[in-house]
Amino acid sequence: MAGTKDGNGNGAAKPVAQRLLATATRLFAEQGYDRTSVQEIVDAAGVTKGALYHYFGSKDDLLHEVYGRVLRLQQERLDHFADADAPVEQRLRDAAADVVVTTIENLDDTKIFFRSMHQLSPEKDKQVRAERRRYHERFRALIEEGQRTGVFAADIPADLVVDYHFGSVHHLGTWYRENGPLSPQQVADQLADLLLRALRP
């Protein structure tokens, strides 16, 4: 399959698993997860059903991976910011801005997932919730560190602060447009600044 075009017809050769995932993401975004068949995915990707099932056990696995790859990226980047040798305010701001940028850069994946998460199998749903919880707990730990050291106001529960920021992040798919007036970084900077402003003692 090395020379096959991907589902977008752009001629760039991709490994089979990557091409299947890109094609599934496009079709899920255009048609919806429940209205996209496995046959449509393999036809658009130019592979066989056997190839799909070699890399992904089911359509459910594809949906899980659509979100999983973004969450893995965000977790890796959050760990990098959280472990940096910088004041906690800077580390939190960097992490808060980064999750906005990476969400916008993968907006189709994020929209698909939140629109279709309820269709995951119970096992996959449990796995995703555990992965998201790990991310949120690491983010919350930065807030709690700042509250313990007096950098952030301690009268606001850290869990509420996490919900406040990630509510804004999850809402991006309903309004952000690539051709709009704000770049991903501008949105990220403004939301991160709002978060830091809310936390000032």
Side-chain angles (χ1 to χ4, degrees):
M1 301 296 171
T4 308
K5 294 180 180 181
D6 71 7
N8 293 310
N10 62 19
K14 293 183 179 179
V16 174
Q18 187 181 345
R19 191 161 71 249
L20 279 164
L21 198 55
T23 302
T25 300
R26 179 175 60 83
L27 291 174
F28 292 164
E30 290 174 358
Q31 303 175 179
Y33 171 78
D34 54 340
R35 292 189 297 277
T36 301
S37 69
V38 167
Q39 191 62 55
E40 286 178 289
I41 294 169
V42 297
D43 287 347
V47 303
T48 64
K49 278 188 179 179
L52 184 147
Y53 291 126
H54 174 73
Y55 293 102
F56 305 98
S58 63
K59 194 172 80 161
D60 186 61
D61 284 345
L62 274 168
L63 177 60
H64 178 250
E65 183 59 19
V66 163
Y67 186 63
R69 62 181 175 179
V70 179
L71 188 55
R72 285 193 299 273
L73 168 68
Q74 291 177 332
Q75 183 70 59
E76 180 182 331
R77 293 176 65 82
L78 173 59
D79 289 342
H80 168 76
F81 291 124
D83 292 335
D85 184 18
V88 66
E89 185 172 6
Q90 184 63 51
R91 284 182 281 139
L92 179 64
R93 191 193 185 286
D94 289 344
D98 183 74
V99 72
V100 174
V101 171
T102 52
T103 296
I104 291 174
E105 288 176 346
N106 298 278
L107 209 51
D108 273 351
D109 306 54
T110 306
K111 284 192 288 188
I112 289 164
F113 189 79
F114 284 107
R115 195 168 57 202
S116 308
M117 180 180 173
H118 65 283
Q119 294 176 295
L120 283 173
S121 68
E123 181 185 347
K124 288 284 193 307
D125 180 70
K126 184 178 179 182
Q127 184 180 341
V128 165
R129 288 181 188 279
E131 291 164 351
R132 287 179 63 197
R133 188 163 55 250
R134 177 173 175 256
Y135 183 94
H136 286 184
E137 286 173 353
R138 190 82 206 263
F139 193 93
R140 186 185 66 207
L142 285 171
I143 296 166
E144 291 172 336
E145 179 186 341
Q147 290 177 326
R148 281 194 311 273
T149 55
V151 176
F152 301 145
D155 58 334
I156 306 172
D159 280 332
L160 188 59
V161 178
V162 172
D163 287 343
Y164 164 77
H165 187 65
F166 285 93
S168 298
V169 172
H170 297 161
H171 191 59
L172 287 167
T174 67
W175 69 267
Y176 184 81
R177 296 295 177 268
E178 189 177 350
N179 58 353
L182 297 174
S183 71
Q185 191 61 56
Q186 287 174 316
V187 176
D189 288 339
Q190 291 185 15
L191 289 179
D193 286 344
L194 280 171
L195 176 66
L196 268 295
R197 210 171 296 151
L199 280 168
R200 287 196 185 114

